[in-house]
Amino acid sequence: MNSSLVGLSSLINKPRIIVGLMSGTSLDGLDIALCEVCGHDTSTVLKIKHFISMPYDEEFLNKIRPLFANPLAPLHAVTKANAWIAHEHASMVLASLAKWDIQASSVDILASHGQTIFHAPNALPLAANANGALLRKASATLQIGDGCHLAHITQILTVSDFRQKHIAANGEGAPLVPYADFLLFASPNEHRILLNIGGIANYTFLPANKSFASVVSADTGPGNALMDMAVRYAKELSLTKIESTSLPSINRLYDINGDFAAKGTIDQELLTMLVKAVALSEPGPKENTVTNKSTGQETYNLDFILNAIEKSHSSALAKFPSTEQAFYDLLATLTMFTARSISNSINKLISTLNNNHETALYISGGGVHNPVLLSNIKHCIPNISLKTSAELGIHPDAKEAALFAVLANQTLFGSSHVFTNNNGVPATCLGKISLP
């Protein structure tokens, strides 16, 4: 038997050291979580030993941005990037382990999400199952950063490419966090909504009955994506059109602490136009129904912002970024729009719940650091308590990377049976195994 598989079998009754990797649609860097995972299924116990977020440099971004959410990306560029990203991520993993004074040989498993470059839920023609019966429209998604390269360079058994199995099981490839959220955080005492605000925002609803059949998970729409794009767009134009020169801090990739949004005024006409644009692009479920769905920056991109500005006929924002105040107002408006899209989904969910248990909202991801966004969310969802995932014992920045460590652990040591009886979330384990 392959020695790597022999080593894997020896871990069945032991704690596993698993490194979880997450690189999201915000393209801000690679999150690396060194975890100890014990047990499996609903007996899973997670401890995060170390965490770091390794920022991407300009070389990395210059290679990935032309491919990201681009249906016309050159095939040769995508093919080369698949291996190149794996090499970059492997180097970051090894550098992080060295920083923590940990030998790669002491890590049992590497769990890599990869870098999403395209996500197209329900975009393909109707597919047929083995019996020839037509299923719903098939989804497609692509994450690059090949697992075999990671395994070879790090010499760590690697589980990667998690989203393809979800699609094969008739899912959309996203969100995947409900599997790990359920294993770790389901409570008999309260309804829990776990909201992650990355480039795209998504939530998992965990009912107090601890039944996976009632778990709901969905993308709500933009998280940090539109706000980040507005800042980057202004940066890329070098603000040459801005009359004032009092924005030296624009040399950034996002609105740190919501500073820009805090100086702006919400443009109600543009906000209305953004909401209408979503209604046109995503028809969505009927009123007061909750479904599992996914989306991406293929929908929420710079064109989405610019088209809404053009149609709003706002005299101030139509000049963006020609004035300093227009820049601030746009950030304020996009921040409220993000909060509105999140709250619309969650309020619809809350309206379906019974009142026998308290409901709490736990927030994680980069958006947790934007106080303007959090204040807007609180304003839009006034009737439940807002907390961070830290109150569940997991750092808000480390949650997604750590959850992929849990997903890898479940694939290798658990089973899919714990995920049964949920029509919206396929009962399956996820990921492909690459031996060193």
Side-chain angles (χ1 to χ4, degrees), residues 7 13 41 57 65 87 150 199 221 226 271 308 323 379 401 407 412:
N13 298 312
D41 298 339
D57 58 22
R65 280 182 180 152
H87 282 247
L150 282 166
L226 296 182
L271 182 61
T323 69
H379 174 76
L407 292 178
L412 295 170

Side-chain angles (χ1 to χ4, degrees), residues 207-223:
N209 63 16
K210 296 188 70 172
S211 167
F212 191 76
S214 302
V215 170
V216 176
S217 185
D219 290 345
T220 65

Side-chain angles (χ1 to χ4, degrees), residues 25-64:
T25 55
S26 58
L27 296 176
D28 51 358
L30 180 68
D31 292 341
I32 306 173
L34 180 77
C35 307
E36 179 183 277
V37 186
C38 299
H40 56 84
D41 298 339
T42 54
S43 298
T44 303
V45 177
L46 169 73
K47 294 181 181 177
I48 300 176
K49 298 290 191 179
H50 296 281
F51 172 75
I52 190 171
S53 185
M54 302 282 280
Y56 292 144
D57 58 22
E58 285 300 316
E59 180 187 7
F60 190 101
L61 294 174
N62 289 338
K63 284 182 180 290
I64 299 307

Side-chain angles (χ1 to χ4, degrees), residues 8 157 278 375:
L8 192 63
L157 184 147
V278 172
S375 177

Side-chain angles (χ1 to χ4, degrees), residues 312-323:
S312 72
H313 304 298
S314 169
S315 59
L317 286 178
K319 300 177 182 178
F320 172 77
S322 59
T323 69

